[in-house]
Amino acid sequence: MTQYALLITVTVSFIMLTVALYFDLRYQRIPNLLCLLTLLLGITINSYFYGWDGLLDAVSGAALAIIILIPVYYFKMLGAGDVKLMIGIGALAGPLVLTWSIAYGVIFGAFTSILIAIKAVGWRGLKMMMSRYIDCIYLGTYFKPEKGDAGRVNVPYAPALMLGWMLATYINHDIYDLMWTIEVVIEEIGTSFSLI
């Protein structure tokens, strides 16, 4: 990726994920229009800068998100808005960053889900959930969560997905080059102003 295209892609991805985070935390849903806009921007930006290769990369990222996340949605482990958002992010970031974003998002999701559940129902609700899971395993049957159980809390997953994307983007070697370039430009601008 060229430096300019990478900067635009990272900036647009960050903005879209931030808006999705706001809606997910505030309203427990991610608007379809935001997801569609993210997908269209991903296809447009990549096609503009890289032509057919960029279009292929955007479509590959979106398709990979569908392949990975539709089964997760089917088993009700992730909401439809989260899946659609990551399809758009896949179109923006491409398949490699998308894959790592999802992987890191799963790891962050374990922590953010527990923290959000504790905030909603407290430690008692977490203990109720753990006790219920132990009973389910021991008796070999599933028990629905009762009122006050952390298992009944609707946990927004956008925070975990955003953290996963941020880590995947940060450790991407292209980002190091971009950060270095930005740092050099800022130093040159600072030197220019100090000479005046």
Side-chain angles (χ1 to χ4, degrees), residues 21 24-26 28 82 108-123 125-126 129 148-161 163:
L21 178 67
D24 204 17
L25 290 175
R26 173 106 182 184
Q28 286 79 43
D82 300 314
F108 281 118
F111 297 106
T112 58
S113 297
I114 290 171
L115 291 174
I116 291 170
I118 289 172
K119 183 178 184 276
V121 294
W123 287 101
L126 190 63
M129 182 183 75
D149 188 318
R152 287 190 72 166
V153 176
N154 255 351
V155 178
Y157 216 76
L161 294 173
L163 289 170

Side-chain angles (χ1 to χ4, degrees), residues 1 46 50-62 90-96:
M1 273 192 164
N46 284 308
Y50 306 109
W52 290 109
D53 289 338
L55 177 63
L56 180 63
D57 199 44
V59 171
S60 298
L92 271 166
L96 182 63

Side-chain angles (χ1 to χ4, degrees), residues 131-144:
S131 175
R132 181 175 53 83
Y133 282 149
I134 291 170
D135 290 345
C136 290
I137 292 169
Y138 181 72
L139 297 173
T141 187
Y142 177 74
F143 298 105
K144 288 186 177 185

Side-chain angles (χ1 to χ4, degrees), residues 4 10 22 70 73-74 82 105 108 115 117 120 127 134 140 145 151 156 168 176:
Y4 188 62
V10 169
Y22 168 77
I70 289 297
Y73 169 73
Y74 178 78
D82 300 314
F108 281 118
L115 291 174
K127 282 175 56 178
I134 291 170
Y176 284 125

Side-chain angles (χ1 to χ4, degrees), residues 163-174:
L163 289 170
W165 172 84
M166 289 172 73
L167 182 58
T169 302
Y170 178 75
I171 62 176
N172 184 334
H173 67 86
D174 290 335

